[in-house]
Amino acid sequence: MRVTFITLALLATPTLGTAEGLLQEQCSSCHSLSGPAPATAAAYRDRKGPDLGYAGIKYRAEWLEQWLQKPTRNRPAGMFYGKHIKTSPKGDVVDKASLKPHLKLDAANAKAATTALMALKEGAERVKAGDYKTGKISLSMGEMLFDKFRGCLACHQIEPGYGGVSGPEVYTIGKRLQSDYLVSFMRNPKLWEPKTIMPARKLKDRDLQKFVHYFNGLAAEDFQ
Ligand code: HEC
Ligand code: HEC
């Protein structure tokens, strides 16, 4: 691990000048920085990291800058769960040893990378500013909707260790992602990820709003 850290520190220095250069050199081997999402099931499965070409309309800048300095796992079974699940006597479990820690940036590079990422806005026309209207829902009502009525818990964790592992956890979504993006994504996941395994449920606008209220409520809880 120590060797990796030193290598990264060395790599980071010459790119300090241009943040775009930093993204290109250190991130583009795993993340697409522009255009279209994987169009085949194989490309979707083999993708090494989430697409960042629309980072500026998806992520919250404050979260990005912190996360890049102290990355945590958002997808309990990695980018594609099928590659990180092993069978055990207890059923299928996440093969943690197959998941690598994410590269870390120092404060200056995290700031520069965040500025460059927030400028990436491909597909901005899919998000309507103000689509999400601030509101509230109790955590128990939110959970009922997420788990019992819509079956989302099968793929998403609502607290560490509780819920399915094939999708990103949702208990930090309120800190991570922009609310208007969330509404757009849940309204039509295939618009963003044509090959996603997330089913298109044709959720009513009322429910889309409630889900975002719920995520924002969860993010206010102190799970970590
Ligand atoms: C070796 C491959 C690899 C490299 C290099 C890499 N990443 Fe990642 N990145 C990943 C994977 C895999 C994930 C998903 C981790 C997870 O969700 O647990 C990820 C997740 C992320 C996320 C969180 C996305 C989300 O939706 O949760 C951001 C932001 C990110 N990377 C930015 C960067 C930046 C900026 C760089 C370059 C400085 C970079 N990454 C370099 C593989 C990589
Ligand atoms: C079959 C598994 C599955 C089910 C069921 C499912 N999702 Fe997902 N969801 C995913 C995956 C996988 C992703 C990540 C996008 C991708 O890589 O395809 C995702 C992404 C998301 C995101 C964006 C999160 C992020 O970090 O980018 C939200 C929000 C979301 N799902 C909400 C829901 C809601 C609400 C439901 C129930 C109506 C639901 N999901 C049901 C698998 C699922």
Side-chain angles (χ1 to χ4, degrees):
M1 274 297 97
R2 168 158 291 196
V3 176
T4 324
F5 182 74
I6 293 167
T7 318
L8 292 178
L10 287 175
L11 273 175
T13 328
T15 50
L16 257 179
T18 79
E20 292 77 14
L22 183 151
L23 293 187
Q24 210 59 51
E25 284 167 32
Q26 295 194 45
C27 320
S28 64
S29 58
C30 296
H31 294 280
S32 148
L33 299 173
S34 69
T40 63
Y44 175 76
R45 270 199 314 270
D46 292 342
R47 175 169 53 176
K48 295 206 182 98
D51 291 358
L52 295 177
Y54 45 89
I57 46 180
K58 175 173 180 183
Y59 300 105
R60 295 185 185 233
E62 201 176 79
W63 176 86
L64 264 183
E65 193 174 332
Q66 287 172 3
W67 188 87
L68 289 169
Q69 297 173 68
K70 241 183 126 193
T72 48
R73 191 156 292 293
N74 301 317
R75 292 163 183 74
M79 267 318 280
F80 186 69
Y81 70 104
K83 296 191 186 235
H84 301 284
I85 293 288
K86 57 178 185 190
T87 38
S88 82
K90 286 187 193 150
D92 288 354
V93 291
V94 178
D95 179 9
K96 292 217 167 105
S98 72
L99 296 167
K100 307 271 177 309
H102 196 270
L103 155 166
K104 260 188 198 144
L105 295 178
D106 63 22
N109 277 319
K111 197 176 171 69
T114 298
T115 307
L117 286 169
M118 293 309 291
L120 303 179
K121 299 192 171 183
E122 259 180 34
E125 71 285 351
R126 299 173 193 159
V127 174
K128 250 190 289 161
D131 214 1
Y132 172 65
K133 316 278 183 301
T134 311
K136 274 195 166 176
I137 188 172
S138 73
L139 290 183
S140 52
M141 284 299 290
E143 188 180 334
M144 285 276 273
L145 185 67
F146 195 79
D147 179 3
K148 301 279 181 305
F149 300 143
R150 299 288 175 204
C152 316
L153 192 71
C155 299
H156 293 283
Q157 294 194 347
I158 57 171
E159 58 182 66
Y162 182 58
V165 297
S166 55
E169 44 81 356
V170 298
Y171 51 88
T172 60
I173 275 192
K175 291 193 186 105
R176 270 194 294 129
L177 306 182
Q178 298 181 32
S179 301
D180 291 333
Y181 165 81
L182 283 170
V183 172
S184 171
F185 181 86
M186 290 186 291
R187 183 180 284 134
N188 187 359
K190 293 215 163 26
L191 187 63
W192 296 90
E193 287 287 358
K195 292 295 167 186
T196 188
I197 58 163
M198 175 156 153
R201 292 256 158 85
K202 300 212 175 4
L203 299 168
K204 295 210 170 66
D205 191 61
R206 204 178 49 225
D207 286 347
L208 295 172
Q209 301 286 332
K210 284 185 188 162
F211 279 132
V212 185
H213 301 337
Y214 176 52
F215 299 149
N216 289 340
L218 279 177
E221 298 279 290
D222 193 12
F223 288 120
Q224 280 170 334

